[in-house]
């Protein structure tokens, strides 16, 4: 029997967090090997296990998977979170790319100079409420179903919930004009495996703070 997937990344959200979300949603237990120093990262590079010298890296099913999108694709397909056909996958991909763009803005915010953070935070909220969330609100309204694609839980739903919670950490009432997304958040949050992941003590990581930013800069020499 194959062992648990092993995740290699610093002890924070970053690009690994969406992978953690997917594994948790699928009910898959996983281990984490945290990268804490530049030496830890260099060892992985020197061992030849990082295809492009980058993390995240997930050891799973006898493979050493790299590149966030490739890892998420693999997990989604393996655990039936990637639609039933090519058209559904195309919609899932479009929705996921949208939330990825939004979450990327939030991910990089703590690494930006202090004098630009307020401006960039305002831009995140503006984009969330005018460019991204209206798309998902409309999708739920147009098809009248509980999930974004195919009336079945998919990676798109999981990713959207992750994005919603990240934006709410920036502005708690951000969903005030989106009643269907409010209901969606409640539904998806209560799926048993996701509910468990959202509880204190899970492997979900806290928002990035200055301490983690300092660790990341040290590990990656940035």
């Amino acid at each position: 029997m194959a062992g648990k997937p092993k995740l290699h990344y610093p002890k924070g959200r970053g690009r690994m967090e969406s992978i953690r979300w997917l594994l948790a949603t699928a009910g898959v237990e996983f281990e984490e090997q945290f990268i804490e120093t530049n030496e830890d990262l260099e060892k992985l590079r020197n061992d030849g296990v990082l295809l492009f010298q980058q993390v995240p890296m997930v050891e799973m099913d006898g493979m050493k998977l790299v590149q966030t999108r490739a890892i998420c694709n693999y997990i989604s397909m393996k655990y039936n979170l990637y639609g039933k056909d090519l058209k559904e996958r195309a919609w899932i991909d479009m929705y996921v790319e949208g939330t990825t763009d939004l979450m990327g803005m939030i991910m990089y915010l703590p690494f930006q100079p202090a004098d630009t953070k307020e401006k960039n935070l305002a831009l995140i909220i503006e984009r969330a409420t005018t460019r991204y969330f209206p798309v998902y609100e409309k999708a739920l309204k147009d098809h009248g179903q509980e999930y974004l694609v195919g009336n079945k839980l998919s990676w798109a739903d999981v990713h959207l919930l992750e994005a919603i919670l990240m934006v709410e950490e920036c502005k708690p009432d951000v969903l005030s004009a989106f009643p269907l997304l409010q209901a969606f958040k409640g539904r998806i949050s209560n799926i048993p495996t996701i509910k468990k992941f959202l509880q204190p003590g899970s492997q979900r990581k806290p928002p990035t703070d200055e301490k983690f930013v300092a660790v990341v800069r040290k590990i990656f020499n940035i």
Side-chain angles (χ1 to χ4, degrees), residues 64-130:
K64 292 178 170 64
L65 298 165
V66 297
Q67 296 290 1
T68 310
R69 180 66 200 236
I71 298 167
C72 287
N73 279 354
Y74 182 82
I75 295 167
S76 296
M77 292 189 75
K78 177 171 175 130
Y79 295 104
N80 201 22
L81 293 166
Y82 207 9
K84 70 177 187 297
D85 56 31
L86 278 173
K87 286 187 176 181
E88 286 194 358
R89 284 175 194 167
W91 278 105
I92 290 167
D93 285 344
M94 287 191 283
Y95 288 142
V96 165
E97 288 299 315
T99 38
T100 297
D101 289 346
L102 177 58
M103 287 157 61
M105 295 173 71
I106 300 170
M107 199 183 303
Y108 291 118
L109 187 65
F111 294 88
Q112 293 168 352
D115 59 347
T116 66
K117 279 185 183 174
E118 194 171 326
K119 176 185 170 187
N120 287 321
L121 180 59
L123 179 62
I124 288 166
I125 303 305
E126 189 267 330
R127 288 275 171 85
T129 54
T130 65

Side-chain angles (χ1 to χ4, degrees), residues 10-77:
K11 193 175 183 178
R13 286 185 182 176
R15 295 188 179 277
M16 186 65 89
E17 191 71 356
S18 293
I19 297 166
R20 296 184 185 107
W21 267 87
L22 272 180
L23 288 168
T25 298
V28 178
E29 292 185 5
F30 57 88
E31 299 172 351
E32 300 193 75
Q33 181 71 51
F34 294 119
I35 298 168
E36 297 177 328
T37 65
N38 181 253
E39 289 73 26
D40 291 342
L41 178 62
E42 286 306 314
K43 184 178 187 310
L44 286 174
R45 287 173 171 165
N46 293 334
D47 287 348
V49 298
L50 302 180
L51 194 62
F52 300 109
Q53 310 293 311
Q54 296 170 308
V55 289
M57 189 268 280
V58 175
E59 294 184 68
M60 185 175 181
D61 295 343
M63 297 185 291
K64 292 178 170 64
L65 298 165
V66 297
Q67 296 290 1
T68 310
R69 180 66 200 236
I71 298 167
C72 287
N73 279 354
Y74 182 82
I75 295 167
S76 296
M77 292 189 75

